[in-house]
Amino acid sequence: MTTIKLHNTKTRKKSEFTPIDAKNVRMYVCGPTVYDRAHLGNARPVVVFDVLYRLLREVYGADHVTYARNFTDVDDKINKRAADSGRSIGEITDETIQWFLDDMGALGALEPNHMPRATQFIPHMVAMIEDLIAKGHAYAAEGHVLFAVDSWRQGYGQLSGRSVDDMIAGARVEVAPYKKNPMDFVLWKPSDAGQPGWESPWGRGRPGWHIECSAMSYELLGKTFDIHGGGNDLMFPHHENEVAQSCCANGDDSFAKYWLHNEMLQVEGKKMSKSLGNFFTVHDLLDQGVPGEVIRLVFLQTHYRKPMDWTEKKAGEAEATLRKWRALTAGIEPAKEAPKEIVTALADDLNTSSALFYLHAIARDIPKEFVEINPKYTKADLLAGAQLLGLLTEELGDWVSQPDFDLSSYEAKLTAARDAAMQSKDFAEVDRLKTRFIAAGIEVRMSKAGVELVPGQDFDLAKLEGLA
Ligand code: AMP
Ligand code: ZN
């Protein structure tokens, strides 16, 4: 079996991944807060952990991996959006969840096995909070319940590598009179009449953000599970607080064994932000005609632990690559197994850029002599390898057959020439046309069923001038 190595934030080392139960490998990833369209940065963890999910399924079998990713559907940003728009919270969260699934589907992300919504797990959160109070790790004060970081000094800060004292010195913590320690964080807070709320032992209120992931991962994956993922902006405080809650409720050695964090996405070398005018959503790009598969390929070119830069140049190059690979592999079946070089690259802490390098080598984009790879690989291996990365799949392929140019009149011309040649046995005109098409970068496919012209990477419309 392939050995997977992963960089574990907890140990700050790359180490061999051994699942707790190889028959049920379990992964939890923090999902979006659903009040607006996902921006391009939000898509990065989705694509990163989709590749990991695909790799785990490849190595352990598709039925032996459980992937959960939540929707945060209770949050003050959602309340504000509802108040500003005059729409109900449910309408906004339902709509946003569907947008998210559509946009991430367009990037070729498989849907996780579980996609829990926070609002479906309120009783579980209340039970966990009660348990934390009973064990002396939390206290109620003025309608709030707070986690007491002093009750778990030995563990708090380990994931992100900070001590409680450093945190107090460095952090902009919300100071509140009811907090025993300024680092104590909210598990439950009171709701006024206009805010969403649920009855609880501490009055009508709503959960803090962190408790939702602790409660839902426990319900869906158990006390202890294999991998927890998210963007590195979530490492502190969100993930640190998840660890504290879960370990204190379920036992010190519980919760996730491996923590993976992706780095941030930037745009043309700058942080994406509304004030810089370089902020856009996945939907904006799709709307502009950038295929989801192109976005995916650009993402995979950068290792997940490095900052990645989205540029138009990269998108253009990725599109040319995919057009070429799709033309090369059109109509063929993938090999039974992905090339081992590709599996090995991914198993090395998701080295997607190395995996892509091998795909380029198989596609002969790079001269053979520069790459150590089995020379016998064919287009079928290219296809199988690409599909392990979620590329060149059937679902993502429609964009290639929707070129900006319409070649049907040329197809009709070639069909007519061929029909005439069948009668006259003179194929000179057919050959002349084929030569012109090939020179224009078009792949000519002729079969009994008909004639098909497929524009390739070097397609040049101008070279067809005077032919129609
Ligand atoms: P949020 O809805 O803000 O909680 O973010 C959802 C996910 O997107 C989290 O895993 C974040 O870490 C991730 N994320 C947000 N901004 C970026 C970015 N610029 N680059 C990469 N990931 C991001
Ligand atoms: Zn979370």
Side-chain angles (χ1 to χ4, degrees), residues 30-33 39 41-42 44-45 209 230-231 233-234 262-265:
C30 296
T33 304
H39 64 65
N42 296 141
R44 193 172 189 203
W209 171 34
D233 56 330
L234 300 185
N262 65 274
E263 253 291 351
M264 294 291 104
L265 172 137

Side-chain angles (χ1 to χ4, degrees), residues 313-324:
K313 182 161 176 279
K314 283 186 184 175
E317 288 163 1
E319 176 172 341
T321 296
L322 287 167
R323 281 195 187 280
K324 180 181 171 196

